[in-house]
Amino acid sequence: MTMARMPHIHASLLDGELHRPDPGVLPYGAHGGADDTPVQVSVVVPVHDEAENVEELVARVEAAMAPTRRGFELICVDDGSRDATPGILARLAQSRPWLRPVYLIRNYGQSAALQAGFDAVRGETVVTLDGDLQNDPADIPRLLDMLDADPSVDVISGWRKARQDRMLSRRLPSMMANRIISRVTGVRLHDYGCALKVYRAGIVRDVHLYGELHRFVPALAADAGARIVEVPVLHHPRMRGRSKYGLDRTLRVVLDLLWIRFLMRFLHRPLQAFGGVGMALLGTGGVSLAYLAVDKFVHGNDIGGRPLLLVGVMLLLMGVQLIATGVLGELLTRIWHEPQGRAQYRLRPPPTASDPRPEPASDEQDRARRA
């Protein structure tokens, strides 16, 4: 195994203070009456200009989830659509209390849309998929059963093994990116770009998405302590609508990857990141100036017009600045954690006698499981 409209804001006076609900998030049951069924599974789908697909998407998610007898909610996050998507979602939600549309005021991008969905979930398990119907909602029950069967697994990531996209413009760049991301982050997956994933809700609460980080959710989840397995899933060609992705995302992926690398290795120890480079520059500049000092005072040569003098001074100053930046980073880390009691670590619930967690699998077992 291996995405605009401005919502109406209603104000109420509670305890003498004016409280406003979160704009864009519609209360559960607001369209079709309250539903007392406990929510076990939250399905989060960002959509942007998907008027041709969203109705079928809702129907297929319902067809997949209803037979499972699990209480579920479908959170469709409209990411500032300019077509009829918001109106269709509002109409569908009137007769479906489990459908909870979230309307972003403008197009923020997929990462912000996913985060808005994560902020609204109420289930114990969170499922994500794209709104273009290339992911198949029929895979969701199987993935949920797999997650329930193995308590040691926190995230199941889909793998579009038989991907139905163009080779040169989509599949080849994706394969290269997956290899680079796997190597840099240490979380080895065949398909980081597959939107179909299943998470335990605790992991989602520990992941915060900014910029374009939705591509790196598995790496962020692993950094939060999650154990991840990858499972082949169905993939269909896009039949309606237009793809929102292109080759221009390559540079953004590279820049975000640099941030992820820093985040995973040096978030709690910035002095080691900046200080290491600073010490190297400081040492190189110091050696250069020491050599010039010997040349000046021992050999009596003039060094005033030597380029090495300027290079040495520049390296020395850059080294001092980088070390100072690392010290400031350490202070900011403590300011972030200590005043509000934020821990630098996360705890995992202990295994129970009736449901013990197995020992971590070896690399060979993980590779065999993903195969």
Side-chain angles (χ1 to χ4, degrees):
M1 288 187 300
T2 179
M3 286 158 275
R5 73 174 189 179
M6 173 72 77
H8 297 289
I9 300 177
H10 305 278
S12 59
L13 191 62
L14 299 176
D15 298 329
E17 295 184 1
L18 188 64
H19 296 265
R20 298 178 186 270
D22 187 11
V25 180
L26 302 185
Y28 188 69
H31 296 286
D35 190 341
D36 295 331
T37 303
V39 177
Q40 297 171 288
V41 180
S42 298
V43 183
V44 178
V45 185
V47 291
H48 176 66
D49 292 343
E50 295 287 356
E52 298 172 316
N53 294 314
V54 68
E55 191 160 0
E56 183 179 350
L57 170 70
V58 171
R60 289 172 64 174
V61 170
E62 181 180 18
M65 291 301 302
T68 67
R69 303 287 183 179
R70 303 173 190 256
F72 75 97
E73 61 182 357
L74 172 58
I75 303 175
C76 287
V77 184
D78 175 65
D79 188 18
S81 295
R82 296 187 177 185
D83 62 0
T85 301
I88 295 174
L89 286 174
R91 172 173 57 81
L92 294 174
Q94 290 177 358
S95 58
R96 295 165 176 83
W98 44 263
L99 175 59
R100 300 177 60 209
V102 175
Y103 305 95
L104 302 188
I105 197 170
R106 66 172 177 84
N107 178 234
Y108 288 92
Q110 190 169 354
S111 293
L114 268 179
Q115 186 63 59
F118 290 166
D119 291 343
V121 299
R122 301 187 305 162
E124 302 170 356
T125 305
V126 180
V127 181
T128 63
L129 69 157
D130 273 338
D132 55 9
L133 294 176
Q134 291 194 260
N135 298 133
D136 198 330
D139 279 321
I140 296 177
R142 175 172 63 94
L143 301 183
L144 292 173
D145 291 340
M146 292 172 60
L147 191 69
D148 290 343
D150 192 345
S152 69
V153 174
D154 300 296
V155 180
I156 297 180
S157 182
W159 172 19
R160 298 166 293 183
K161 195 171 184 178
R163 185 172 177 178
Q164 304 297 312
D165 281 321
R166 295 185 180 93
M167 172 59 76
L168 291 179
S169 63
R170 299 295 297 278
R171 292 167 58 188
L172 184 59
S174 180
M175 287 188 291
M176 296 173 60
N178 286 322
R179 291 186 179 183
I180 296 173
I181 296 171
S182 295
R183 185 173 183 85
V184 171
T185 63
V187 182
R188 300 191 177 275
L189 298 177
H190 295 89
D191 193 357
Y192 268 83
C194 183
L196 181 53
K197 293 179 174 65
V198 181
Y199 308 87
R200 299 195 189 277
I203 295 298
V204 166
R205 297 188 188 102
D206 287 334
V207 172
H208 304 283
L209 303 179
Y210 304 92
E212 301 279 341
L213 296 187
H214 62 276
R215 303 179 181 91
F216 306 99
V217 172
L220 295 171
D223 188 56
R227 181 167 180 256
I228 305 169
V229 298
E230 192 173 36
V231 180
V233 295
L234 297 174
H235 190 251
H236 305 289
R238 176 183 270 273
M239 304 302 295
R240 297 182 294 270
R242 181 176 59 86
S243 175
K244 314 310 187 292
Y245 304 105
L247 292 174
D248 61 325
R249 62 179 175 167
T250 304
L251 180 59
R252 298 198 299 269
V253 171
V254 173
L255 295 175
D256 287 333
L257 189 56
L258 294 175
W259 165 241
I260 290 293
R261 179 68 172 179
F262 177 86
L263 189 69
M264 296 180 69
R265 292 195 60 185
F266 302 111
L267 179 64
H268 297 293
R269 42 181 183 170
L271 183 57
Q272 295 187 21
F274 295 99
V277 179
M279 288 296 292
L281 296 178
L282 193 63
T284 305
V287 169
S288 301
L289 294 179
Y291 166 76
L292 292 175
V294 171
D295 198 28
K296 170 69 174 177
F297 296 109
V298 175
H299 301 289
N301 295 323
D302 183 22
I303 62 172
R306 305 268 299 265
L308 187 59
L309 178 62
L310 295 177
V311 172
V313 172
M314 181 184 67
L315 292 176
L316 203 68
L317 293 175
M318 290 174 62
V320 171
Q321 287 178 334
L322 283 173
I323 293 174
T325 301
V327 172
L328 288 175
E330 292 284 342
L331 292 174
L332 290 173
T333 299
R334 283 151 178 76
I335 291 172
W336 169 255
H337 285 289
E338 293 177 3
Q340 298 187 28
R342 295 185 178 96
Q344 298 95 323
Y345 53 84
R346 299 179 180 91
L347 299 178
R348 182 185 292 277
T352 61
S354 60
D355 188 20
R357 289 179 177 266
E359 293 296 323
S362 65
D363 291 341
E364 291 78 8
Q365 290 173 322
D366 279 337
R367 283 195 293 268
R369 192 173 187 178
R370 291 196 297 264

